[in-house]
Amino acid sequence: MSFKAEYIWIDGTEPTAKLRSKTKILADGAELPVWGFDGSSTNQAEGHASDRVLKPVASFPDPIRGGDDVLVMCEVFEIDGTPHVSNTRAALREVAERYAAQESLFGIEQEYTFFQGSRPLGFPDGGFPAPQGGYYCGVGADEIFGRPVVEKHLENCLAAGLGISGINAEVMPGQWEFQVGPLSPLEVSDHLWVARWLLYRTAEDFGISATLDPKPAKGDWNGAGAHTNFSTKAMRENYAAIIEAAESLGRDEKPLEHIKNYGVGVESRLTGAHETAPWNEYSYGVSNRGASVRIPWQVEVDQKGYIEDRRPNANMDPYVVTRLMVDTCGSALEKAGLV
Ligand code: ADP
Ligand code: MN
Ligand code: MN
Ligand code: MN
């Protein structure tokens, strides 16, 4: 007997990478081998010498095929064994290792928008739905679009053993969110990429597409973000560490360095309206959903917990965002003796 392994990887498409996958049939009980693909078809190689290497880094039961079949998250390498330039996970491995003693945890809120044809799901042809106000966490066919897909996606994520922790309908019709975590930097990122793959794959069977476009509808409609909640062991024990982490993200060149790596089009979403802070002004505050970084009210009450970086776009790369946060906050906490 044999089983099917769906090898999933991140391609080299600019400015925002896409997910790719293909199937390998393996003999029962076989280990997941290193595999290859044609990088010239994924923006990861020129035509000549286009072999690229897929190295399995995490695997999950495949909820779509079932049985012994698996989903396999991969890193992309050159044939000489060096990480391909599109392989952002390799850099996270190093930083996560360097700050491992701080026990960083992340919970990421992935917002996304369903499309049918060229219109967000729920937008009538040639017109617009009623203005925002009733859709967020709404119920009823006049407010909710795509629930069967969302429910199926949630089931699939749970069956795959992903650390999904919740879902909700968002502010714009056809817009939804799922949360992954809290998990370690590498785990939350691997799980988020596989959850994204499952989102596209699940919606495919309904004839619906999903997009991580940060501003899928122009005008007075909310954008789509990926709020990134973060804590270290010290932050989960001590409020001074919470404040130091929030401060460190605002120091020197850090705000711009982070913003530049928080997803293409971040300026179009972080306008200062629609529950965002302007992209070029760093701020943090307790319970403030108009700040770059929010300290949840419960965290102030408890004097410990986590912070929420509200800036990352829906189309961000979690390997990049978690690396920057672990690096910036981790080194500041170390310097301040808050570890
Ligand atoms: P919001 O009120 O911003 O919509 P959500 O409930 O959608 O909040 O998301 C909060 C996220 O914070 C969840 O993904 C959760 O896993 C995460 N979280 C909770 N505690 C911690 C922690 N100590 N460290 C990191 N993330 C955390
Ligand atoms: Mn949320
Ligand atoms: Mn949200
Ligand atoms: Mn949030």
Side-chain angles (χ1 to χ4, degrees), residues 5-203:
E6 189 72 10
Y7 277 53
I8 300 172
W9 75 98
I10 299 159
D11 79 359
T13 302
E14 303 270 358
T16 300
K18 283 159 43 81
L19 282 165
R20 308 272 180 155
S21 72
K22 59 176 184 160
T23 309
K24 190 168 188 63
I25 307 300
L26 292 164
D28 259 356
E31 303 253 314
L32 297 168
V34 161
W35 201 15
F37 68 99
D38 169 16
S40 70
S41 300
T42 62
N43 302 306
Q44 284 164 310
E46 300 298 325
H48 56 281
S50 67
D51 281 350
R52 293 293 176 266
V53 176
L54 293 175
K55 191 170 154 200
V57 292
S59 77
F60 307 90
D62 182 341
I64 297 196
R65 288 176 170 148
D68 290 334
D69 298 342
V70 289
L71 302 177
V72 184
M73 192 65 208
C74 298
E75 277 189 38
V76 177
F77 288 84
E78 303 282 355
I79 51 174
D80 68 4
T82 55
H84 188 264
V85 289
S86 63
N87 179 351
T88 51
R89 191 180 188 278
L92 173 60
R93 272 193 275 123
E94 279 176 32
V95 171
E97 176 73 18
R98 193 179 324 143
Y99 293 102
Q102 294 197 20
E103 297 177 27
S104 297
L105 289 178
F106 287 91
I108 299 179
E109 306 167 47
Q110 176 70 66
E111 294 179 343
Y112 61 92
T113 311
F114 286 133
F115 268 68
Q116 201 151 35
S118 60
R119 305 280 288 163
L121 194 64
F123 277 49
D125 276 340
F128 285 92
Q132 293 183 163
Y135 304 109
Y136 173 74
C137 298
V139 61
D142 51 341
E143 299 193 331
I144 287 297
F145 307 93
R147 174 116 51 201
V149 191
V150 174
E151 290 290 326
K152 189 71 200 167
H153 174 246
L154 176 59
E155 266 176 43
N156 284 339
C157 287
L158 290 170
L162 300 180
I164 191 163
S165 44
I167 53 170
N168 60 268
E170 270 302 337
V171 174
M172 188 183 102
Q175 205 171 62
W176 294 82
E177 167 179 316
F178 64 84
Q179 300 103 32
V180 177
L183 289 168
S184 71
L186 281 168
E187 281 177 316
V188 80
S189 304
D190 290 340
H191 288 211
L192 181 58
W193 276 114
V194 173
R196 285 172 172 179
W197 187 89
L198 277 173
L199 177 65
Y200 303 135
R201 179 62 191 82
T202 303

Side-chain angles (χ1 to χ4, degrees), residues 4 27 30 34 49 60 100 131 141 242 264 275 280 325:
K4 303 183 192 106
V34 161
F60 307 90
I242 294 280
V264 169
E275 300 176 68
N280 55 353
M325 290 184 75

